[in-house]
PDB file of all heavy atoms in Angstrom:
ATOM      1  N   ILE A 854     -26.660-111.953  17.086  1.00 98.00           N
ATOM      2  CA  ILE A 854     -27.504-111.568  15.959  1.00 98.00           C
ATOM      3  C   ILE A 854     -26.806-112.012  14.683  1.00 98.00           C
ATOM      4  O   ILE A 854     -25.652-111.644  14.440  1.00 98.00           O
ATOM      5  CB  ILE A 854     -27.720-110.043  15.941  1.00 98.00           C
ATOM      6  CG1 ILE A 854     -28.419-109.597  17.228  1.00 98.00           C
ATOM      7  CG2 ILE A 854     -28.517-109.626  14.710  1.00 98.00           C
ATOM      8  CD1 ILE A 854     -28.385-108.094  17.438  1.00 98.00           C
ATOM      9  N   PHE A 855     -27.493-112.786  13.874  1.00 98.00           N
ATOM     10  CA  PHE A 855     -26.882-113.277  12.637  1.00 98.00           C
ATOM     11  C   PHE A 855     -27.396-112.474  11.465  1.00 98.00           C
ATOM     12  O   PHE A 855     -28.595-112.400  11.206  1.00 98.00           O
ATOM     13  CB  PHE A 855     -27.185-114.757  12.425  1.00 98.00           C
ATOM     14  CG  PHE A 855     -26.472-115.331  11.230  1.00 98.00           C
ATOM     15  CD1 PHE A 855     -25.092-115.451  11.213  1.00 98.00           C
ATOM     16  CD2 PHE A 855     -27.178-115.730  10.100  1.00 98.00           C
ATOM     17  CE1 PHE A 855     -24.421-115.954  10.109  1.00 98.00           C
ATOM     18  CE2 PHE A 855     -26.523-116.247   8.996  1.00 98.00           C
ATOM     19  CZ  PHE A 855     -25.132-116.355   9.002  1.00 98.00           C
ATOM     20  N   MET A 856     -26.476-111.869  10.728  1.00 97.00           N
ATOM     21  CA  MET A 856     -26.806-111.042   9.567  1.00 97.00           C
ATOM     22  C   MET A 856     -26.399-111.769   8.298  1.00 97.00           C
ATOM     23  O   MET A 856     -25.228-112.121   8.124  1.00 97.00           O
ATOM     24  CB  MET A 856     -26.086-109.702   9.673  1.00 97.00           C
ATOM     25  CG  MET A 856     -26.443-108.716   8.576  1.00 97.00           C
ATOM     26  SD  MET A 856     -25.866-107.037   8.951  1.00 97.00           S
ATOM     27  CE  MET A 856     -24.097-107.306   9.099  1.00 97.00           C
ATOM     28  N   LEU A 857     -27.382-111.991   7.425  1.00 97.00           N
ATOM     29  CA  LEU A 857     -27.121-112.708   6.179  1.00 97.00           C
ATOM     30  C   LEU A 857     -27.581-111.880   4.998  1.00 97.00           C
ATOM     31  O   LEU A 857     -28.291-110.886   5.140  1.00 97.00           O
ATOM     32  CB  LEU A 857     -27.822-114.071   6.179  1.00 97.00           C
ATOM     33  CG  LEU A 857     -29.355-114.076   6.258  1.00 97.00           C
ATOM     34  CD1 LEU A 857     -29.989-114.032   4.857  1.00 97.00           C
ATOM     35  CD2 LEU A 857     -29.862-115.299   6.992  1.00 97.00           C
ATOM     36  N   GLY A 858     -27.171-112.303   3.837  1.00 94.00           N
ATOM     37  CA  GLY A 858     -27.636-111.728   2.593  1.00 94.00           C
ATOM     38  C   GLY A 858     -27.417-112.745   1.494  1.00 94.00           C
ATOM     39  O   GLY A 858     -26.480-113.550   1.561  1.00 94.00           O
ATOM     40  N   THR A 859     -28.276-112.745   0.507  1.00 92.00           N
ATOM     41  CA  THR A 859     -28.146-113.683  -0.610  1.00 92.00           C
ATOM     42  C   THR A 859     -28.461-112.965  -1.911  1.00 92.00           C
ATOM     43  O   THR A 859     -29.122-111.921  -1.919  1.00 92.00           O
ATOM     44  CB  THR A 859     -29.094-114.885  -0.471  1.00 92.00           C
ATOM     45  OG1 THR A 859     -30.452-114.406  -0.426  1.00 92.00           O
ATOM     46  CG2 THR A 859     -28.808-115.674   0.800  1.00 92.00           C
ATOM     47  N   SER A 860     -28.003-113.530  -2.998  1.00 84.00           N
ATOM     48  CA  SER A 860     -28.258-112.964  -4.316  1.00 84.00           C
ATOM     49  C   SER A 860     -28.696-114.074  -5.256  1.00 84.00           C
ATOM     50  O   SER A 860     -28.053-115.114  -5.332  1.00 84.00           O
ATOM     51  CB  SER A 860     -26.998-112.280  -4.856  1.00 84.00           C
ATOM     52  OG  SER A 860     -27.193-111.795  -6.161  1.00 84.00           O
ATOM     53  N   GLY A 861     -29.794-113.837  -5.959  1.00 79.00           N
ATOM     54  CA  GLY A 861     -30.264-114.820  -6.931  1.00 79.00           C
ATOM     55  C   GLY A 861     -31.011-115.968  -6.278  1.00 79.00           C
ATOM     56  O   GLY A 861     -31.418-115.918  -5.109  1.00 79.00           O
ATOM     57  N   SER A 862     -31.184-117.020  -7.052  1.00 85.00           N
ATOM     58  CA  SER A 862     -31.925-118.191  -6.581  1.00 85.00           C
ATOM     59  C   SER A 862     -31.407-119.422  -7.299  1.00 85.00           C
ATOM     60  O   SER A 862     -30.678-119.329  -8.278  1.00 85.00           O
ATOM     61  CB  SER A 862     -33.426-118.028  -6.848  1.00 85.00           C
ATOM     62  OG  SER A 862     -33.681-117.929  -8.247  1.00 85.00           O
ATOM     63  N   ASP A 863     -31.800-120.574  -6.804  1.00 87.00           N
ATOM     64  CA  ASP A 863     -31.459-121.843  -7.432  1.00 87.00           C
ATOM     65  C   ASP A 863     -32.698-122.438  -8.101  1.00 87.00           C
ATOM     66  O   ASP A 863     -33.836-122.005  -7.846  1.00 87.00           O
ATOM     67  CB  ASP A 863     -30.920-122.829  -6.395  1.00 87.00           C
ATOM     68  CG  ASP A 863     -29.551-122.420  -5.864  1.00 87.00           C
ATOM     69  OD1 ASP A 863     -28.777-121.824  -6.636  1.00 87.00           O
ATOM     70  OD2 ASP A 863     -29.272-122.674  -4.684  1.00 87.00           O
ATOM     71  N   VAL A 864     -32.458-123.447  -8.910  1.00 90.00           N
ATOM     72  CA  VAL A 864     -33.572-124.156  -9.545  1.00 90.00           C
ATOM     73  C   VAL A 864     -34.535-124.688  -8.490  1.00 90.00           C
ATOM     74  O   VAL A 864     -35.757-124.632  -8.655  1.00 90.00           O
ATOM     75  CB  VAL A 864     -33.039-125.298 -10.434  1.00 90.00           C
ATOM     76  CG1 VAL A 864     -34.184-126.185 -10.907  1.00 90.00           C
ATOM     77  CG2 VAL A 864     -32.275-124.738 -11.636  1.00 90.00           C
ATOM     78  N   SER A 865     -33.979-125.180  -7.374  1.00 92.00           N
ATOM     79  CA  SER A 865     -34.834-125.735  -6.313  1.00 92.00           C
ATOM     80  C   SER A 865     -35.762-124.675  -5.742  1.00 92.00           C
ATOM     81  O   SER A 865     -36.919-124.967  -5.396  1.00 92.00           O
ATOM     82  CB  SER A 865     -33.978-126.344  -5.203  1.00 92.00           C
ATOM     83  OG  SER A 865     -33.136-125.363  -4.620  1.00 92.00           O
ATOM     84  N   ASP A 866     -35.297-123.426  -5.626  1.00 93.00           N
ATOM     85  CA  ASP A 866     -36.146-122.348  -5.120  1.00 93.00           C
ATOM     86  C   ASP A 866     -37.292-122.070  -6.089  1.00 93.00           C
ATOM     87  O   ASP A 866     -38.436-121.847  -5.668  1.00 93.00           O
ATOM     88  CB  ASP A 866     -35.329-121.069  -4.928  1.00 93.00           C
ATOM     89  CG  ASP A 866     -34.163-121.259  -3.971  1.00 93.00           C
ATOM     90  OD1 ASP A 866     -34.343-121.919  -2.933  1.00 93.00           O
ATOM     91  OD2 ASP A 866     -33.055-120.755  -4.267  1.00 93.00           O
ATOM     92  N   MET A 867     -36.995-122.101  -7.378  1.00 92.00           N
ATOM     93  CA  MET A 867     -38.036-121.850  -8.366  1.00 92.00           C
ATOM     94  C   MET A 867     -39.064-122.972  -8.370  1.00 92.00           C
ATOM     95  O   MET A 867     -40.272-122.727  -8.496  1.00 92.00           O
ATOM     96  CB  MET A 867     -37.412-121.682  -9.756  1.00 92.00           C
ATOM     97  CG  MET A 867     -36.412-120.535  -9.814  1.00 92.00           C
ATOM     98  SD  MET A 867     -35.731-120.217 -11.460  1.00 92.00           S
ATOM     99  CE  MET A 867     -36.988-119.128 -12.122  1.00 92.00           C
ATOM    100  N   ARG A 868     -38.592-124.187  -8.196  1.00 92.00           N
ATOM    101  CA  ARG A 868     -39.527-125.316  -8.128  1.00 92.00           C
ATOM    102  C   ARG A 868     -40.401-125.219  -6.870  1.00 92.00           C
ATOM    103  O   ARG A 868     -41.583-125.590  -6.897  1.00 92.00           O
ATOM    104  CB  ARG A 868     -38.756-126.638  -8.159  1.00 92.00           C
ATOM    105  CG  ARG A 868     -38.038-126.897  -9.481  1.00 92.00           C
ATOM    106  CD  ARG A 868     -37.517-128.326  -9.562  1.00 92.00           C
ATOM    107  NE  ARG A 868     -36.713-128.543 -10.752  1.00 92.00           N
ATOM    108  CZ  ARG A 868     -37.196-128.771 -11.972  1.00 92.00           C
ATOM    109  NH1 ARG A 868     -38.514-128.806 -12.150  1.00 92.00           N
ATOM    110  NH2 ARG A 868     -36.390-128.963 -13.000  1.00 92.00           N
ATOM    111  N   THR A 869     -39.829-124.719  -5.782  1.00 92.00           N
ATOM    112  CA  THR A 869     -40.614-124.546  -4.557  1.00 92.00           C
ATOM    113  C   THR A 869     -41.745-123.554  -4.780  1.00 92.00           C
ATOM    114  O   THR A 869     -42.897-123.787  -4.387  1.00 92.00           O
ATOM    115  CB  THR A 869     -39.712-124.066  -3.405  1.00 92.00           C
ATOM    116  OG1 THR A 869     -38.762-125.083  -3.102  1.00 92.00           O
ATOM    117  CG2 THR A 869     -40.536-123.766  -2.158  1.00 92.00           C
ATOM    118  N   VAL A 870     -41.433-122.429  -5.427  1.00 93.00           N
ATOM    119  CA  VAL A 870     -42.456-121.428  -5.693  1.00 93.00           C
ATOM    120  C   VAL A 870     -43.496-121.967  -6.671  1.00 93.00           C
ATOM    121  O   VAL A 870     -44.703-121.755  -6.478  1.00 93.00           O
ATOM    122  CB  VAL A 870     -41.823-120.133  -6.237  1.00 93.00           C
ATOM    123  CG1 VAL A 870     -42.903-119.126  -6.604  1.00 93.00           C
ATOM    124  CG2 VAL A 870     -40.879-119.534  -5.205  1.00 93.00           C
ATOM    125  N   LEU A 871     -43.057-122.687  -7.688  1.00 92.00           N
ATOM    126  CA  LEU A 871     -43.997-123.285  -8.639  1.00 92.00           C
ATOM    127  C   LEU A 871     -44.953-124.232  -7.918  1.00 92.00           C
ATOM    128  O   LEU A 871     -46.164-124.211  -8.169  1.00 92.00           O
ATOM    129  CB  LEU A 871     -43.223-124.024  -9.739  1.00 92.00           C
ATOM    130  CG  LEU A 871     -44.054-124.699 -10.829  1.00 92.00           C
ATOM    131  CD1 LEU A 871     -44.914-123.685 -11.566  1.00 92.00           C
ATOM    132  CD2 LEU A 871     -43.132-125.430 -11.818  1.00 92.00           C
ATOM    133  N   ARG A 872     -44.406-125.033  -7.004  1.00 91.00           N
ATOM    134  CA  ARG A 872     -45.269-125.946  -6.225  1.00 91.00           C
ATOM    135  C   ARG A 872     -46.281-125.159  -5.396  1.00 91.00           C
ATOM    136  O   ARG A 872     -47.464-125.521  -5.319  1.00 91.00           O
ATOM    137  CB  ARG A 872     -44.402-126.817  -5.318  1.00 91.00           C
ATOM    138  CG  ARG A 872     -45.222-127.712  -4.368  1.00 91.00           C
ATOM    139  CD  ARG A 872     -44.345-128.479  -3.396  1.00 91.00           C
ATOM    140  NE  ARG A 872     -43.536-127.610  -2.559  1.00 91.00           N
ATOM    141  CZ  ARG A 872     -43.995-126.955  -1.478  1.00 91.00           C
ATOM    142  NH1 ARG A 872     -45.282-127.073  -1.134  1.00 91.00           N
ATOM    143  NH2 ARG A 872     -43.194-126.193  -0.771  1.00 91.00           N
ATOM    144  N   LYS A 873     -45.854-124.063  -4.785  1.00 90.00           N
ATOM    145  CA  LYS A 873     -46.763-123.272  -3.958  1.00 90.00           C
ATOM    146  C   LYS A 873     -47.877-122.651  -4.800  1.00 90.00           C
ATOM    147  O   LYS A 873     -49.024-122.523  -4.337  1.00 90.00           O
ATOM    148  CB  LYS A 873     -45.989-122.178  -3.220  1.00 90.00           C
ATOM    149  CG  LYS A 873     -45.110-122.708  -2.089  1.00 90.00           C
ATOM    150  CD  LYS A 873     -44.419-121.573  -1.336  1.00 90.00           C
ATOM    151  CE  LYS A 873     -43.618-122.091  -0.156  1.00 90.00           C
ATOM    152  NZ  LYS A 873     -42.996-121.001   0.629  1.00 90.00           N
ATOM    153  N   ILE A 874     -47.560-122.274  -6.044  1.00 90.00           N
ATOM    154  CA  ILE A 874     -48.596-121.768  -6.939  1.00 90.00           C
ATOM    155  C   ILE A 874     -49.597-122.870  -7.260  1.00 90.00           C
ATOM    156  O   ILE A 874     -50.814-122.681  -7.178  1.00 90.00           O
ATOM    157  CB  ILE A 874     -47.967-121.233  -8.237  1.00 90.00           C
ATOM    158  CG1 ILE A 874     -47.149-119.973  -7.973  1.00 90.00           C
ATOM    159  CG2 ILE A 874     -49.050-120.931  -9.276  1.00 90.00           C
ATOM    160  CD1 ILE A 874     -46.380-119.495  -9.187  1.00 90.00           C
ATOM    161  N   GLU A 875     -49.071-124.038  -7.630  1.00 87.00           N
ATOM    162  CA  GLU A 875     -49.936-125.145  -8.034  1.00 87.00           C
ATOM    163  C   GLU A 875     -50.817-125.625  -6.881  1.00 87.00           C
ATOM    164  O   GLU A 875     -51.942-126.069  -7.097  1.00 87.00           O
ATOM    165  CB  GLU A 875     -49.072-126.296  -8.562  1.00 87.00           C
ATOM    166  CG  GLU A 875     -48.380-125.963  -9.898  1.00 87.00           C
ATOM    167  CD  GLU A 875     -47.362-126.998 -10.299  1.00 87.00           C
ATOM    168  OE1 GLU A 875     -46.918-127.754  -9.406  1.00 87.00           O
ATOM    169  OE2 GLU A 875     -46.997-127.047 -11.494  1.00 87.00           O
ATOM    170  N   GLU A 876     -50.303-125.519  -5.650  1.00 88.00           N
ATOM    171  CA  GLU A 876     -51.071-125.963  -4.475  1.00 88.00           C
ATOM    172  C   GLU A 876     -51.952-124.864  -3.899  1.00 88.00           C
ATOM    173  O   GLU A 876     -52.654-125.088  -2.915  1.00 88.00           O
ATOM    174  CB  GLU A 876     -50.117-126.496  -3.401  1.00 88.00           C
ATOM    175  CG  GLU A 876     -49.374-127.766  -3.827  1.00 88.00           C
ATOM    176  CD  GLU A 876     -48.427-128.274  -2.750  1.00 88.00           C
ATOM    177  OE1 GLU A 876     -48.373-127.662  -1.650  1.00 88.00           O
ATOM    178  OE2 GLU A 876     -47.741-129.282  -3.002  1.00 88.00           O
ATOM    179  N   GLY A 877     -51.916-123.680  -4.501  1.00 86.00           N
ATOM    180  CA  GLY A 877     -52.758-122.593  -4.037  1.00 86.00           C
ATOM    181  C   GLY A 877     -52.286-121.928  -2.765  1.00 86.00           C
ATOM    182  O   GLY A 877     -53.056-121.207  -2.115  1.00 86.00           O
ATOM    183  N   ILE A 878     -51.031-122.146  -2.373  1.00 88.00           N
ATOM    184  CA  ILE A 878     -50.512-121.542  -1.148  1.00 88.00           C
ATOM    185  C   ILE A 878     -50.269-120.048  -1.364  1.00 88.00           C
ATOM    186  O   ILE A 878     -50.531-119.226  -0.478  1.00 88.00           O
ATOM    187  CB  ILE A 878     -49.221-122.247  -0.705  1.00 88.00           C
ATOM    188  CG1 ILE A 878     -49.528-123.709  -0.359  1.00 88.00           C
ATOM    189  CG2 ILE A 878     -48.579-121.538   0.486  1.00 88.00           C
ATOM    190  CD1 ILE A 878     -48.293-124.535  -0.066  1.00 88.00           C
ATOM    191  N   ILE A 879     -49.758-119.697  -2.528  1.00 87.00           N
ATOM    192  CA  ILE A 879     -49.533-118.289  -2.869  1.00 87.00           C
ATOM    193  C   ILE A 879     -50.100-118.006  -4.247  1.00 87.00           C
ATOM    194  O   ILE A 879     -50.271-118.907  -5.066  1.00 87.00           O
ATOM    195  CB  ILE A 879     -48.032-117.906  -2.845  1.00 87.00           C
ATOM    196  CG1 ILE A 879     -47.239-118.750  -3.858  1.00 87.00           C
ATOM    197  CG2 ILE A 879     -47.450-118.011  -1.447  1.00 87.00           C
ATOM    198  CD1 ILE A 879     -45.807-118.299  -4.034  1.00 87.00           C
ATOM    199  N   ASP A 880     -50.405-116.749  -4.477  1.00 89.00           N
ATOM    200  CA  ASP A 880     -50.810-116.269  -5.793  1.00 89.00           C
ATOM    201  C   ASP A 880     -49.822-115.189  -6.177  1.00 89.00           C
ATOM    202  O   ASP A 880     -49.850-114.077  -5.639  1.00 89.00           O
ATOM    203  CB  ASP A 880     -52.234-115.708  -5.737  1.00 89.00           C
ATOM    204  CG  ASP A 880     -52.711-115.185  -7.087  1.00 89.00           C
ATOM    205  OD1 ASP A 880     -51.929-115.236  -8.055  1.00 89.00           O
ATOM    206  OD2 ASP A 880     -53.863-114.707  -7.157  1.00 89.00           O
ATOM    207  N   THR A 881     -48.906-115.490  -7.082  1.00 92.00           N
ATOM    208  CA  THR A 881     -47.870-114.522  -7.441  1.00 92.00           C
ATOM    209  C   THR A 881     -48.458-113.276  -8.092  1.00 92.00           C
ATOM    210  O   THR A 881     -47.786-112.242  -8.159  1.00 92.00           O
ATOM    211  CB  THR A 881     -46.826-115.150  -8.384  1.00 92.00           C
ATOM    212  OG1 THR A 881     -47.490-115.693  -9.530  1.00 92.00           O
ATOM    213  CG2 THR A 881     -46.045-116.249  -7.676  1.00 92.00           C
ATOM    214  N   HIS A 882     -49.713-113.344  -8.546  1.00 92.00           N
ATOM    215  CA  HIS A 882     -50.341-112.172  -9.158  1.00 92.00           C
ATOM    216  C   HIS A 882     -50.401-110.987  -8.203  1.00 92.00           C
ATOM    217  O   HIS A 882     -50.516-109.837  -8.652  1.00 92.00           O
ATOM    218  CB  HIS A 882     -51.765-112.498  -9.617  1.00 92.00           C
ATOM    219  CG  HIS A 882     -51.832-113.379 -10.818  1.00 92.00           C
ATOM    220  ND1 HIS A 882     -52.751-114.408 -10.933  1.00 92.00           N
ATOM    221  CD2 HIS A 882     -51.108-113.414 -11.963  1.00 92.00           C
ATOM    222  CE1 HIS A 882     -52.598-115.013 -12.097  1.00 92.00           C
ATOM    223  NE2 HIS A 882     -51.602-114.431 -12.739  1.00 92.00           N
ATOM    224  N   ILE A 883     -50.357-111.228  -6.893  1.00 88.00           N
ATOM    225  CA  ILE A 883     -50.450-110.107  -5.948  1.00 88.00           C
ATOM    226  C   ILE A 883     -49.303-109.122  -6.136  1.00 88.00           C
ATOM    227  O   ILE A 883     -49.401-107.967  -5.717  1.00 88.00           O
ATOM    228  CB  ILE A 883     -50.489-110.592  -4.492  1.00 88.00           C
ATOM    229  CG1 ILE A 883     -49.132-111.179  -4.068  1.00 88.00           C
ATOM    230  CG2 ILE A 883     -51.614-111.567  -4.256  1.00 88.00           C
ATOM    231  CD1 ILE A 883     -48.997-111.356  -2.578  1.00 88.00           C
ATOM    232  N   SER A 884     -48.217-109.585  -6.762  1.00 88.00           N
ATOM    233  CA  SER A 884     -47.041-108.723  -6.941  1.00 88.00           C
ATOM    234  C   SER A 884     -47.148-107.827  -8.164  1.00 88.00           C
ATOM    235  O   SER A 884     -46.351-106.893  -8.309  1.00 88.00           O
ATOM    236  CB  SER A 884     -45.782-109.588  -7.086  1.00 88.00           C
ATOM    237  OG  SER A 884     -45.641-110.476  -6.019  1.00 88.00           O
ATOM    238  N   LEU A 885     -48.098-108.093  -9.046  1.00 93.00           N
ATOM    239  CA  LEU A 885     -48.149-107.395 -10.328  1.00 93.00           C
ATOM    240  C   LEU A 885     -48.845-106.047 -10.189  1.00 93.00           C
ATOM    241  O   LEU A 885     -49.994-105.968  -9.745  1.00 93.00           O
ATOM    242  CB  LEU A 885     -48.871-108.250 -11.375  1.00 93.00           C
ATOM    243  CG  LEU A 885     -48.808-107.720 -12.807  1.00 93.00           C
ATOM    244  CD1 LEU A 885     -47.376-107.718 -13.314  1.00 93.00           C
ATOM    245  CD2 LEU A 885     -49.701-108.532 -13.733  1.00 93.00           C
TER     246      LEU A 885
END
């Protein structure tokens, strides 16, 4: 069993989420 943890994000992660918004894969508004 592999146990991991991470803190924060990189620019690449933010660009990935931005792309998913632009492509309609996710709607970040669901979190608000």
Side-chain angles (χ1 to χ4, degrees):
I854 299 167
F855 185 67
M856 185 167 60
L857 62 90
T859 60
S860 176
S862 62
D863 291 328
V864 170
S865 60
D866 302 318
M867 301 184 86
R868 294 191 186 280
T869 295
V870 176
L871 181 60
R872 175 185 59 79
K873 288 183 176 183
I874 292 173
E875 291 171 340
E876 295 180 2
I878 296 173
I879 60 172
D880 180 359
T881 55
H882 288 139
I883 70 166
S884 306
L885 189 64

